[in-house]
């Protein structure tokens, strides 16, 4: 069983892993706004893609729901926009992908 300095070393590794994941998520968040989704998938680790994709979906969903009082078609617009993104993702998956790319998209 590890004692002493090993715990300190492992704790430092865990801390750096968290910093790295946070840095990748921040970079993915910034790139999400300027990069086409089908390119954005390949620029960052799958974990960051998954986090930011869900964050953006939640933000967009909340925005559409909050606009419903003044714009009854807000949710339908949101649905149409995301359906288009999903269709692009389906086209991407049906295309030629490396094993690593396919695994990333499957995540």
């Amino acid at each position: 069983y590890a004692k002493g300095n090993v715990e300190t070393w492992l704790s430092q590794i865990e801390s750096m892993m968290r910093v790295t994941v946070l840095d990748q998520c921040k970079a993915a968040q910034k790139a999400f706004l300027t990069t086409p989704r089908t390119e954005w998938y390949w620029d960052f680790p799958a974990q960051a893609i998954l986090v930011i994709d869900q964050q953006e979906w939640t933000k967009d969903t909340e925005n559409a729901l909050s606009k419903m009082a003044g714009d009854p078609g807000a949710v339908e617009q949101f649905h149409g926009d995301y359906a288009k993104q999903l269709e692009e993702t389906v086209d991407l998956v049906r295309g030629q992908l490396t094993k690593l790319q396919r695994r990333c998209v499957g995540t």
Side-chain angles (χ1 to χ4, degrees), residues 34-103:
T34 59
T35 308
R37 187 182 192 93
T38 53
E39 293 175 23
W40 178 73
Y41 275 127
W42 316 129
D43 293 341
F44 300 95
Q47 185 176 13
I49 295 295
L50 189 60
V51 168
I52 300 307
D53 190 47
Q54 289 299 307
Q55 179 181 322
E56 288 296 319
W57 180 86
T58 301
K59 181 185 74 170
D60 292 346
T61 301
E62 287 178 350
N63 286 341
L65 291 173
S66 67
K67 289 179 183 177
M68 279 185 62
D71 180 10
V75 173
E76 287 180 31
Q77 177 66 38
F78 163 75
H79 178 266
D81 292 345
Y82 266 80
K84 181 182 176 196
Q85 288 184 10
L86 286 174
E87 287 175 19
E88 290 172 356
T89 303
V90 168
D91 291 342
L92 183 72
V93 171
R94 289 181 178 162
Q96 294 289 340
L97 299 175
T98 65
K99 286 183 180 183
L100 180 59
Q101 289 174 325
R102 192 162 298 283
R103 178 169 277 175

Side-chain angles (χ1 to χ4, degrees), residues 2-12:
K3 294 183 180 181
N5 291 337
V6 173
E7 284 88 7
T8 301
W9 180 74
L10 289 173
S11 184
Q12 290 171 344

